[in-house]
Amino acid sequence: MTSANRPDTAATRVVFVTGPSGAGRSTAINALEDLGFEAIDNIPLGLLPRLLEGPPPDRPLALGIDARNRDYSAAGLVAAFDRLTATPGLSPDLLYLDCAADVLQRRYSETRRRHPLAPEADPAQGIARELALLVPVREAASVLVDTSGLTPHDLRAEITRLFAPDGAGRLAITLTSFSYKRGLPTSADLVFDCRFLRNPHWDAALRPEDGRSPEVQAYIATDPRFTAFRDQVIAMADLLLPAFEAEGKSHLTIAFGCTGGQHRSVAMTEILSAHLAEKGWPVSKRHREVEQRRAAGTGAKPEGPEATRT
């Protein structure tokens, strides 16, 4: 993930919204419109110069870019974003809504829709084509949101957290716990492996709990390596976050992983989240496997990001 130039108070924000079909682009654009952005969806790239020529717009813009448009090209979109980054009076972001291919295929199966890039074939073919087409755009994105485990409500909350006016100018931080069995979060910038720590899974009384439990955290803290690990992770965050913010990064995802994603990674996510919130950083947290387990056990959908704003 790359980062856009930091917006200043006089600059007009322009957000390109893109990503594979089915990842939630319409939901994100509607959320930005509710935040006061002028929203224009499916705009051809050829119209961008005419739209943005002259004085900067008097309100922020959200521009939905679809790979189905006739003049679309990934290189053209990246070039347009780079031009806006160098344009006085504008503060651009390239928001890429990512989503795992299997999740996209399930969404198409549930809605019985045809994929626009493979209207007469299996949606999996269209999904593969579009994801390959969008690789350069994903790499150039200044803000990347993985919607694989998010409901539309969750995505709206994440867009609000990232782009609401009261959050402008600050590095937004997402902390997530995960299981290595299910793979790394695709949007992670920094990843810490917690599998070396003492594992509460082997304590029958603690196994049903998760890392938010004080008892689980106390158990993990008995590992002789825990204190040094915790302190060095916190010290690294205190060193790096101001540097990322000064460099102009708008969003950072820090992930903690362990074997099952229930105990050690969750505990470290909670510990760092509390520290960063105390320091005044806009931080949200998500426990991927805990939410999935809760959803499977109750029949409810995963709750998505839990926001802590300061």
Side-chain angles (χ1 to χ4, degrees), residues 5-307:
N5 290 342
R6 169 168 308 287
D8 59 55
T9 54
T12 300
R13 200 159 196 184
V14 179
V15 179
F16 290 109
V17 185
T18 192
S21 303
R25 187 167 50 86
S26 295
T27 298
I29 290 172
N30 290 338
L32 288 167
E33 188 170 27
D34 290 344
L35 293 173
F37 284 70
E38 180 181 357
I40 305 174
D41 199 4
N42 294 324
I43 183 169
L45 292 177
L47 293 181
L48 284 178
R50 186 182 307 174
L51 176 67
L52 297 172
E53 67 185 6
D58 58 3
R59 57 187 293 202
L61 289 175
L63 305 176
I65 309 294
D66 194 330
R68 293 172 290 182
N69 286 351
R70 60 186 177 185
D71 68 345
Y72 177 87
S73 76
L77 175 54
V78 173
F81 174 61
D82 289 341
R83 285 195 299 271
L84 288 190
T85 300
T87 301
L90 296 180
S91 173
D93 266 312
L94 178 53
L95 169 61
Y96 186 91
L97 301 173
D98 202 12
C99 190
D102 62 324
V103 176
L104 291 172
Q105 188 165 2
R106 187 177 71 242
R107 290 175 182 175
Y108 270 94
S109 176
E110 290 172 349
T111 60
R112 300 181 181 273
R113 293 177 56 205
R114 297 179 178 183
H115 194 280
L117 297 189
E120 304 301 328
D122 188 323
Q125 298 181 29
I127 290 167
R129 292 172 189 167
E130 189 171 30
L131 290 175
L133 179 68
L134 290 171
V135 166
V137 179
R138 186 185 187 280
E139 293 176 347
S142 60
V143 181
L144 189 151
V145 177
D146 184 358
T147 71
S148 301
L150 302 184
T151 66
H153 175 77
D154 297 331
L155 178 56
R156 290 183 66 91
E158 185 72 354
I159 294 300
T160 299
R161 185 182 68 81
L162 290 169
F163 293 101
D166 64 353
R170 289 238 69 186
L171 172 68
I173 302 156
T174 296
L175 302 179
T176 184
S177 62
F178 70 96
S179 164
Y180 275 97
K181 293 179 180 179
R182 297 188 60 232
L184 274 68
T186 58
S187 58
D189 296 290
L190 300 175
V191 178
F192 294 96
D193 190 339
C194 303
R195 287 176 291 185
F196 67 92
L197 292 171
R198 191 181 183 198
N199 191 354
H201 174 81
W202 303 116
D203 186 309
L206 297 178
R207 185 177 302 170
E209 304 296 327
D210 61 59
R212 294 171 295 183
S213 162
E215 291 78 13
V216 169
Q217 294 185 16
Y219 181 95
I220 296 170
T222 62
D223 189 306
R225 299 159 295 190
F226 169 79
T227 300
F229 177 61
R230 178 201 61 198
D231 292 349
Q232 290 188 45
V233 167
I234 288 175
M236 181 177 289
D238 288 343
L239 171 67
L240 293 180
L241 296 187
F244 282 132
E245 186 174 50
E247 188 267 341
K249 202 171 184 68
S250 58
H251 183 261
L252 185 79
T253 298
I254 302 174
F256 292 93
C258 63
T259 305
Q262 301 290 336
H263 299 110
R264 295 165 290 182
S265 60
V266 173
M268 283 302 303
T269 297
E270 291 289 320
I271 289 167
L272 185 58
S273 174
H275 171 78
L276 295 181
E278 185 178 349
K279 290 285 187 177
W281 290 101
V283 57
S284 66
K285 59 188 176 184
R286 183 175 183 227
H287 300 304
R288 191 179 72 181
E289 267 58 65
V290 171
E291 293 163 10
Q292 292 290 340
R293 186 177 68 171
R294 183 190 301 120
T298 63
K301 293 181 178 180
E303 293 183 5
E306 301 173 21

